[in-house]
Amino acid sequence: MGRTVHFEIHVSDMERAKTFYGEVFGWSFQDWSDYAGMPYFGAVTGSDDEMGINGALMQRQGAEPQANQAVNGYISTMGVADYDATEAKILARGGKVAKAKHALPGMAWQGYYLDTEGNIFGIHQPDENAK
């Protein structure tokens, strides 16, 4: 055991975050607030026959991350088929570049972004020709 089976993204504005992740990555959400006792929406990130995990957006319980502070948690990275198209969606929906697209030589294109809630996340497009 020890494999990651769920993630939680802490958000200040639940509707804004649901819109961002839904429009950028195509996630859908299920209201689990009654179970959690707070605003909490299960994030369905893909079909059960795809590799990956589901998670949730949960109401932030403290201060929002500040610009340029050290990461104080985990960073989730989402696999994408088209890096540039996904980046365009991120930026058009209020996200910001944290670390620009760069090659992981012989493996993939990788970059990091801030969501509308100030959280850092990554996107990763496999490409053995990346350099």
Side-chain angles (χ1 to χ4, degrees):
M1 295 298 290
R3 184 171 185 195
T4 301
V5 297
H6 183 76
F7 64 85
E8 294 173 330
I9 300 171
H10 293 231
V11 305
S12 298
D13 185 323
M14 186 65 70
E15 291 306 311
R16 180 177 63 197
K18 285 170 43 185
T19 298
F20 179 82
Y21 284 99
E23 291 181 357
V24 171
F25 296 112
W27 294 359
S28 61
F29 299 93
Q30 302 168 347
D31 189 348
W32 296 343
S33 301
D34 288 343
Y35 299 108
M38 69 172 75
Y40 193 98
F41 285 79
V44 179
T45 65
S47 67
D48 290 339
D49 62 344
E50 292 179 284
M51 184 176 71
I53 63 172
N54 295 320
L57 302 179
M58 70 177 289
Q59 191 65 47
R60 189 181 307 282
Q61 302 297 300
E64 292 186 15
Q66 298 300 308
N68 300 314
Q69 81 177 45
V71 173
N72 188 13
Y74 291 99
I75 296 176
S76 293
T77 296
M78 276 58 86
V80 300
D82 184 331
Y83 189 103
D84 296 330
T86 303
E87 179 182 63
K89 288 181 189 178
I90 292 166
L91 299 176
R93 287 158 179 83
K96 297 179 179 152
V97 175
K99 183 174 183 188
K101 177 182 179 181
H102 57 281
L104 302 176
M107 181 192 305
W109 295 102
Q110 180 79 30
Y112 295 91
Y113 298 84
L114 294 169
D115 69 9
T116 54
E117 309 307 300
N119 300 304
I120 296 175
F121 67 93
I123 62 173
H124 178 97
Q125 177 191 334
D127 182 353
E128 62 187 27
N129 296 314
K131 49 182 145 172

